[in-house]
Amino acid sequence: MAKKTTLKPISLSYRAVGAAAATSYTQVMGVLKGLAIAQDEPDSTEIEAEFYDSPFDIIYQGKPVTMTFELANYDLSELDDLFGGTYTAGTAGTTAEVYEGATAATTKEYEWKLDFGRGFGSLVIYKGLTVGTLKKDADGALNYSVTITSLVYTDTSVTPNVDHMYKIIGDTPSA
């Protein structure tokens, strides 16, 4: 197995959590430069020893993977699926199309796939809690600041059930 440096995201897409492998993803291609992926260091709790300098044990509590980006190039019809609210199509020559934003912060859960141009093929977040907030910088476009936070997806189609958070898809070995 060869070591690789994975870089240059080339596409981002989503589909329903737990969808069959044959289910296609919906592309989200209006992402501004600056997409970031992070996982904070876990919290730790030390079980202190009375007579020693080092603890008896350290208990770690992990943190989720987060992906953040700004979505600047989009169709109004895409927004209700991603962020809640409602979309109404326009009528030729009489009314404009309208996206009515959700009246309360709305989250959606999707499986997200980020494909790369170099290195390993993809990063998949099995169950990403997705939230978008309206944003416009002084000299920037009207966009949505999007945060995807990984949750644990439990695959109940297998026995015993299997929990997943994310996976990195590499190369298919040659014969």
Side-chain angles (χ1 to χ4, degrees), residues 1 24 30 79 89 106 142:
M1 180 136 335
S24 62
L79 300 178
T106 302
L142 181 65

Side-chain angles (χ1 to χ4, degrees), residues 5 12 15 20 23 25 30-31 36 39 44 55 59 62 74 88 106-108 112 119 123 135-136 158 165 169 174:
T5 300
L12 178 66
R15 66 182 180 187
T23 304
Y25 286 87
V31 177
Q39 185 174 21
S44 63
I59 300 169
Y74 49 85
T88 305
T106 302
T107 58
K108 301 280 189 114
W112 287 90
L123 168 69
K135 177 183 178 195
K136 185 195 175 309
V158 295
M165 185 165 37
I169 300 172
S174 57

Side-chain angles (χ1 to χ4, degrees), residues 46-59:
E46 293 185 0
I47 308 303
E48 299 286 340
E50 187 68 37
F51 306 116
Y52 301 100
D53 291 339
S54 60
F56 285 125
D57 199 358
I58 301 173
I59 300 169

Side-chain angles (χ1 to χ4, degrees), residues 44-99:
S44 63
T45 303
E46 293 185 0
I47 308 303
E48 299 286 340
E50 187 68 37
F51 306 116
Y52 301 100
D53 291 339
S54 60
F56 285 125
D57 199 358
I58 301 173
I59 300 169
Y60 288 99
Q61 178 67 41
K63 302 285 180 123
V65 174
T66 58
M67 185 182 325
T68 56
F69 59 90
E70 293 183 14
L71 181 63
N73 189 10
Y74 49 85
D75 287 335
L76 289 180
S77 63
E78 297 175 302
L79 300 178
D80 60 339
D81 196 31
L82 287 171
F83 310 125
T86 56
Y87 170 75
T88 305
T91 307
T94 59
T95 58
E97 65 178 337
V98 174
Y99 167 68

